[in-house]
Amino acid sequence: MALQWMILSYVVAAEAIIALLLTLPSPKAIKSTIVSLVSLVLQPALFIVPFAGFQLLDIYWKKEHRLMCTSEICTASERDRFEKSIYKAQRNVILCAAAILLYWSVYRICKYYKEIQSLEAVEKRFKEQ
């Protein structure tokens, strides 16, 4: 059960590092190499979007079918376990949202950089004429 969250947390960490690398100032040659490598990885890494979406649906389903422990009948340990599961679910929702948003951010950064490169090439051609 915890394996999927470990995988998702590693993917979020990797996406955050990639986003940081893409946004750091660097020479054009290094930046274009990084963007081309990340662009090659983006297509297979798209699996993270449906994976995170499925995890969000799983969290929602578990929330709807969770036994509520709000009455006086519940013991202290049951109440603690209930609250712990709520906190875990909230943490996992944030993790899923971060995975999706970071993937989208990396995708848009790469797309913008490629558009800038193509506009610079067009500008260079106009200057040569």
Side-chain angles (χ1 to χ4, degrees):
M1 194 65 177
L3 180 64
Q4 66 223 26
W5 299 113
M6 187 179 71
I7 291 171
L8 197 60
S9 61
Y10 285 151
V11 168
V12 167
E15 286 177 342
I17 291 169
I18 289 171
L20 183 68
L21 281 174
L22 288 173
T23 55
L24 285 176
S26 58
K28 266 190 175 182
I30 294 172
K31 185 71 121 183
S32 62
T33 305
I34 291 172
V35 169
S36 64
L37 289 174
V38 170
S39 295
L40 290 174
V41 173
L42 277 177
Q43 183 76 23
L46 185 62
F47 80 91
I48 199 61
V49 174
F51 182 73
F54 175 74
Q55 295 304 320
L56 284 171
L57 286 174
D58 186 46
I59 290 169
Y60 176 74
W61 185 86
K62 286 179 182 175
K63 178 192 172 290
E64 290 296 318
H65 295 87
R66 181 179 289 131
L67 294 175
M68 301 305 269
C69 190
T70 56
S71 65
E72 297 295 324
I73 300 170
C74 295
T75 64
S77 64
E78 288 174 337
R79 196 171 296 116
D80 288 342
R81 192 171 60 196
F82 174 75
E83 288 176 4
K84 185 179 177 184
S85 70
I86 294 294
Y87 292 138
K88 275 183 161 181
Q90 290 171 347
R91 178 200 63 200
N92 292 339
V93 165
I94 291 170
L95 190 63
C96 290
I100 293 170
L101 288 174
L102 278 170
Y103 180 85
W104 178 79
S105 297
V106 168
Y107 172 77
R108 294 305 299 177
I109 290 169
C110 285
K111 185 171 179 164
Y112 287 145
Y113 187 76
K114 286 181 179 180
E115 288 176 4
I116 289 171
Q117 282 182 331
S118 67
L119 289 173
E120 285 175 350
V122 168
E123 181 184 17
K124 188 177 179 181
R125 273 188 254 132
F126 280 136
K127 283 185 179 179
E128 288 177 356
Q129 291 177 353

